[in-house]
Amino acid sequence: MKITRNQFLKLIPAAALTLTGCGSKAQPANTESLVFSHHYQLDYAQQFTADCYEGGYTMLTIAESDTRFLVVPEDAAEVDGLPADVTVLRQPVENIYLVSTSVMDLLLHLDALDSVAFSGTKAEGWYLPAVQQAMEEGKIAYAGKYSAPDYEQILAAGCRLAIENTMILHTPEVKEQLEHFGIPVLVERSSYESDPLARMEWIKLYGILLGREEQAEQVFSAQETAVQPILSQEPTGKSCAFFSLTTNNLATVRKGSDYVARMIEMAGGSYVFADLTDNGNSLATMNLPLEDFYAGAKDADVLIYNSAIEGMIASVSQLTERFPLLNEFKAVQNGQVWCTTQSLFQQSMELADLIVDMNRVFTEGTPAAGDTEIPHPCGLKTEKFYRKESL
């Protein structure tokens, strides 16, 4: 909810009590300085770094803004003389207000759902069953979207951190108000990673925050290992278009530098719109007139419809009714039309399985043996793809 400055100031005493109330035990002794130990190893991620110090302290730095967070173990000493731009996050980091939906799956893989108290998305907006259940059971409360959080609700429960995506930069006053109340705001940038493995490697940042580094490294290693055999294969020679159709008759496609294009390449395919580059904005997508989409994708071997934007499609005919020229597409005529589930962008840690599924489509024409006769979900491990009946 929006509040006036007078209402804002009246809440400060309550906020102070809430944020310090959990610390009835004696405060740790102070230390004058941090002693550097090593740089935390990141193999793919470019949008954050982590520097480790003796005593278990870790400094996280977010790219572009150079925002810094010092993660302090629960019983470690306070650090004197920190620069003003460093925000201290003392563990346990809990009662999180989570706005960035792509982060939730990372927390699920860390068994850390109980660290989230508030969501910036309503229950019906989640496609992750565990999150829907937690909200229905009242374990996670809806506390308003990024631009209109319920400050009173968040403060009353002792929120220790707000995790936002870069949409919050469009309403900087909200970020300022949260920070004024003593709630640190981490603006995550995993969506700016152009490599799918880099996106998944952000699980290490949340492992550091939540004191689950080892678990985060194990989860990431499993995903990395899953795609390694595919990366050593020769390209399949299959071309692919990844798209959705808008209500105003445009085709939304990913730019050639986007992580989806990279996933298609990693899976052994070639992305038909690889030459599309930045058109003056930071968006990962572009809208093309249907005529341009036809020219670029007509001869593609595989079509993958992105259901995360406009919703699920029930059949190929549902697409061809909206865009009759699709009947002339090679992939439609050969029965190689697929679609993702709506959960695609929320299942951040399933990208390796999606690459594996794509590879099966490019090499076998089907993502799993024995499923060619069923037009509904294929029984994939991730159920990312749905096979659609050919026309």
Side-chain angles (χ1 to χ4, degrees):
M1 70 172 190
K2 295 285 187 181
I3 62 174
T4 65
R5 174 159 289 277
N6 286 337
Q7 291 172 322
F8 183 77
L9 294 174
K10 287 178 182 178
L11 283 171
I12 291 178
L17 288 173
T18 299
L19 294 173
T20 60
C22 62
S24 56
K25 59 183 179 181
Q27 290 295 312
N30 286 24
T31 181
E32 292 185 358
S33 63
L34 294 171
V35 179
F36 179 78
S37 173
H38 62 278
H39 297 294
Y40 188 92
Q41 182 174 341
L42 296 171
D43 296 320
Y44 304 94
Q46 301 292 317
Q47 296 297 316
F48 82 94
T49 59
D51 293 322
C52 302
Y53 295 82
E54 293 182 5
Y57 303 87
T58 305
M59 185 77 77
L60 297 171
T61 303
I62 310 299
E64 195 70 23
S65 65
D66 291 328
T67 307
R68 294 191 290 174
F69 297 88
L70 180 65
V71 182
V72 179
E74 183 174 8
D75 297 323
E78 298 284 354
V79 182
D80 289 330
L82 285 172
D85 67 327
V86 174
T87 299
V88 174
L89 295 176
R90 180 172 291 277
Q91 296 171 330
V93 179
E94 55 192 3
N95 294 332
I96 294 171
Y97 169 44
L98 182 57
V99 178
S100 179
T101 56
S102 64
V103 173
M104 188 68 86
D105 196 42
L106 308 185
L107 301 186
L108 285 172
H109 278 76
L110 292 175
D111 301 317
L113 187 59
D114 58 356
S115 67
V116 180
F118 304 105
S119 167
T121 301
K122 294 181 179 179
E124 58 269 24
W126 285 105
Y127 301 109
L128 304 173
V131 181
Q132 288 180 330
Q133 181 178 346
M135 295 194 73
E136 290 166 359
E137 294 175 352
K139 296 176 181 178
I140 298 176
Y142 174 66
K145 62 182 182 178
Y146 77 95
S147 58
D150 188 331
Y151 295 102
E152 292 182 76
Q153 182 184 18
I154 294 169
L155 287 168
C159 175
R160 302 287 293 274
L161 177 67
I163 301 177
E164 307 268 358
N165 56 35
T166 53
M167 288 294 292
I168 192 66
L169 302 181
H170 297 295
T171 54
E173 67 278 5
V174 173
K175 182 175 182 290
E176 292 171 5
Q177 286 182 349
L178 287 168
E179 291 172 337
H180 190 88
F181 280 140
I183 299 174
V185 179
L186 191 158
V187 182
E188 67 96 26
R189 291 178 56 86
S190 63
S191 63
Y192 287 79
E193 303 281 6
S194 59
D195 186 291
L197 289 170
R199 289 186 167 222
M200 289 189 290
E201 197 169 27
W202 272 72
I203 195 172
K204 295 180 181 179
L205 180 144
Y206 298 103
I208 292 169
L209 276 180
L210 302 173
R212 306 190 183 202
E213 295 97 325
E214 185 175 347
Q215 186 174 352
E217 290 171 7
Q218 290 174 350
V219 171
F220 177 76
S221 178
Q223 300 302 312
E224 184 182 30
T225 300
V227 300
Q228 288 306 317
I230 294 174
L231 299 182
S232 63
Q233 297 175 5
E234 292 295 323
T236 64
K238 296 295 180 66
S239 57
C240 177
F242 186 96
F243 72 106
S244 63
L245 297 177
T246 71
T247 53
N248 56 346
N249 293 321
L250 294 172
T252 301
V253 300
R254 315 295 291 194
K255 293 177 182 176
S257 59
D258 181 63
Y259 81 105
V260 172
R262 173 65 179 143
M263 288 172 66
I264 292 170
E265 177 187 345
M266 292 169 71
S270 61
Y271 181 52
V272 297
F273 295 110
D275 292 337
L276 288 181
T277 57
D278 194 358
N279 57 346
N281 61 47
S282 59
L283 297 177
T285 60
M286 291 181 67
N287 287 331
L288 298 179
L290 293 182
E291 294 80 3
D292 292 345
F293 177 72
Y294 174 87
K298 178 178 180 292
D299 295 322
D301 295 297
V302 176
L303 294 180
I304 301 176
Y305 186 81
N306 177 14
S307 297
I309 298 178
E310 301 290 341
M312 291 289 295
I313 58 170
S315 65
V316 173
S317 60
Q318 186 177 337
L319 283 177
T320 56
E321 286 172 5
R322 294 177 57 186
F323 183 24
L325 279 177
L326 275 172
N327 287 301
E328 299 180 15
F329 280 50
K330 176 181 177 180
V332 172
Q333 295 174 357
N334 292 339
Q336 289 301 309
V337 181
W338 308 76
C339 78
T340 69
T341 63
Q342 287 183 279
S343 62
L344 175 64
F345 297 131
Q346 291 184 11
Q347 290 188 279
S348 308
M349 286 306 296
E350 308 299 334
L351 298 183
D353 288 328
L354 183 51
I355 292 168
V356 172
D357 288 345
M358 285 181 174
N359 177 257
R360 287 174 177 160
V361 169
F362 297 150
T363 58
E364 304 171 16
T366 174
D371 65 14
T372 54
E373 73 282 4
I374 47 178
H376 38 278
C378 295
L380 303 176
K381 181 165 63 171
T382 62
E383 293 191 356
K384 274 288 193 308
F385 279 135
Y386 284 72
R387 180 74 184 268
K388 297 304 170 187
E389 289 178 297
S390 359
L391 297 174

